[in-house]
Amino acid sequence: MSGHHHDHDHTHDNHYTPIEARVKALETLMVEKGYVDPSALDAIVETYETKVGPRNGARIVARAWTDPAYAERLKADGTAAVAEMGYGGRGGEHIVACFNTPEEHNLIVCTLCSCYPWPVLGLPPVWYKSPPYRAKAVIDPRGTLADFGVSLPEGQRIRVWDSTAETRFLVIPMRPAGTEGWSEEKLASIVSRDSMIGTGLPRIEDAVEDAR
Amino acid sequence: MSRLESDLAAALAAGTPIPRDADGPVFAEPWQAQAFALVVALQNRGVFTAEEWAQALGAEIREALAAGGCRDGSDYYERWCEALEHLLIEKGLASHEGVDALAASWARAAEATPHGTPIRLENDPLR
């Protein structure tokens, strides 16, 4: 899988659990009857989008930055390394950590729906689920990053990872210069959600000193 | 958050053990947030009142507890979905069979959708 760019070979990687299908059914029914506007639902969900383990991913990144052995384990088997930190989903889906390098920047998308590494990143932001992002991320990743105010050096390639129901990707941004000697807690504070989707970069000016 | 939404949150907090932190509800999985939003939206539209919802959910939870269901609240949103379905049936807006059929249709649509395209209900081969 890791060698594949934008993999279209799957046939049965898409499924809803019974409860997910039921929620979709109730939603469809109410939308069809005109009692609910899908955009109103999005607006409500958006209010809570940081409410599923939003800091989990940041802690994983901070650990990878400070512990080279952990970074190696994360590279080799993302699912196990994430579980090691006490995080994980309902089982079944694999988490693949995509490490940014000076040569390559990673960007995640789900062209199909909104597959998202929620055990580590929380609820997907509304824009992640939007058709324009899903289409543009694949066709014009550099333009997509520009929409988010991110411009990368000319020579840095952008690799787009299309999530599936079985495989979720997590971007591991590069540790910024000027963060030497920082605690894991302080490092985690600069790892934004967007930097783990690939639509942002960690910014040292966002740092929060240790809360404790 | 609109006034209605905060009212709902308050009603829920008062009557039922909604999983929450200091800022409000928290969700273990995305579908739970979707189900939560659906109830808030229906209430905002006046399809049912906060009172009716609190009763429907309370009844569902009491029933589950009486039947020996999860006491740690981990099945809270499963009960939430059942309460919603029952309330909509009571209001004549849904039927069990209808929801079953639509849920089955969504499940088939998901299976039939190749990666790279959005899951749509029309993708259900039996539809």
Side-chain angles (χ1 to χ4, degrees):
Chain A
M1 167 84 46
S2 61
H4 265 135
H5 208 168
H6 206 68
D7 199 336
H8 286 273
D9 301 337
H10 308 274
T11 46
H12 287 285
D13 55 357
N14 317 313
H15 65 267
Y16 289 131
T17 60
I19 190 85
E20 283 170 338
R22 204 131 196 109
V23 172
K24 289 294 285 180
L26 290 166
E27 187 181 314
T28 308
L29 202 59
M30 291 298 101
V31 169
E32 280 174 356
K33 287 183 189 280
Y35 290 122
V36 161
D37 175 359
S39 65
L41 289 179
D42 282 350
I44 296 164
V45 170
E46 198 168 14
T47 317
Y48 298 102
E49 73 185 22
T50 60
K51 307 300 289 185
V52 180
R55 302 311 299 159
N56 297 355
R59 293 202 186 94
I60 288 164
V61 172
R63 175 67 53 87
W65 283 350
T66 51
D67 179 347
Y70 182 76
E72 284 310 312
R73 292 201 293 282
L74 186 60
K75 227 174 260 182
D77 183 348
T79 314
V82 164
E84 199 184 304
M85 296 281 283
Y87 312 131
R90 62 195 161 210
E93 70 269 9
H94 295 284
I95 294 180
V96 173
C98 307
F99 285 70
N100 285 349
T101 65
E103 292 76 39
E104 192 166 82
H105 178 89
N106 297 289
L107 179 65
I108 59 177
V109 65
C110 176
T111 54
L112 182 73
C113 47
S114 54
C115 296
Y116 187 72
W118 54 263
V120 284
L121 292 190
L123 292 176
V126 166
W127 54 258
Y128 183 87
K129 297 190 278 184
S130 72
Y133 174 76
R134 283 154 46 188
K136 191 172 176 181
V138 175
I139 300 163
D140 178 15
R142 211 165 280 273
T144 302
L145 291 186
D147 294 343
F148 283 87
V150 174
S151 68
L152 300 175
E154 279 288 316
Q156 195 178 17
R157 287 189 309 271
I158 302 173
R159 184 161 190 176
V160 180
W161 300 84
D162 194 357
S163 312
T164 70
E166 273 140 22
T167 306
R168 312 292 169 95
F169 302 99
L170 174 70
V171 175
I172 310 297
M174 286 186 287
R175 182 172 176 169
T179 59
E180 295 75 15
W182 286 20
S183 69
E184 251 182 76
E185 195 78 12
K186 188 174 175 184
L187 286 169
S189 74
I190 64 169
V191 183
S192 63
R193 176 196 65 201
D194 289 3
S195 74
M196 295 180 280
I197 297 176
T199 52
L201 297 172
R203 303 172 346 135
I204 58 175
E205 55 272 35
D206 291 339
V208 175
E209 290 300 331
D210 295 9
R212 280 165 290 161
Chain B
M1 194 185 281
S2 72
R3 199 186 60 80
L4 273 166
E5 283 168 45
S6 8
D7 285 356
L8 173 64
L12 289 169
T16 52
I18 188 165
R20 59 183 297 133
D21 65 11
D23 302 323
V26 294
F27 307 99
E29 299 188 13
W31 64 266
Q32 300 178 350
Q34 210 63 34
F36 176 86
L38 187 55
V39 168
V40 174
L42 289 170
Q43 206 180 293
N44 286 350
R45 281 290 294 270
V47 175
F48 46 77
T49 65
E51 179 91 24
E52 287 174 307
W53 174 249
Q55 277 178 14
L57 181 60
E60 212 65 58
I61 289 174
R62 276 193 304 277
E63 200 176 298
L65 286 175
C70 287
R71 288 179 183 275
D72 62 0
S74 62
D75 62 346
Y76 184 82
Y77 280 103
E78 276 85 354
R79 301 291 82 75
W80 179 283
C81 292
E82 281 169 19
L84 176 57
E85 191 173 327
H86 291 154
L87 189 54
L88 294 178
I89 291 169
E90 204 177 289
K91 298 245 164 214
L93 299 175
S95 69
H96 239 313
E97 299 69 33
V99 179
D100 275 349
L102 209 48
S105 191
W106 269 114
R108 286 191 302 264
E111 297 283 338
T113 305
H115 206 83
T117 54
I119 298 174
R120 291 185 213 285
L121 196 52
E122 303 86 87
N123 297 355
D124 170 13
L126 302 185
R127 200 170 169 84

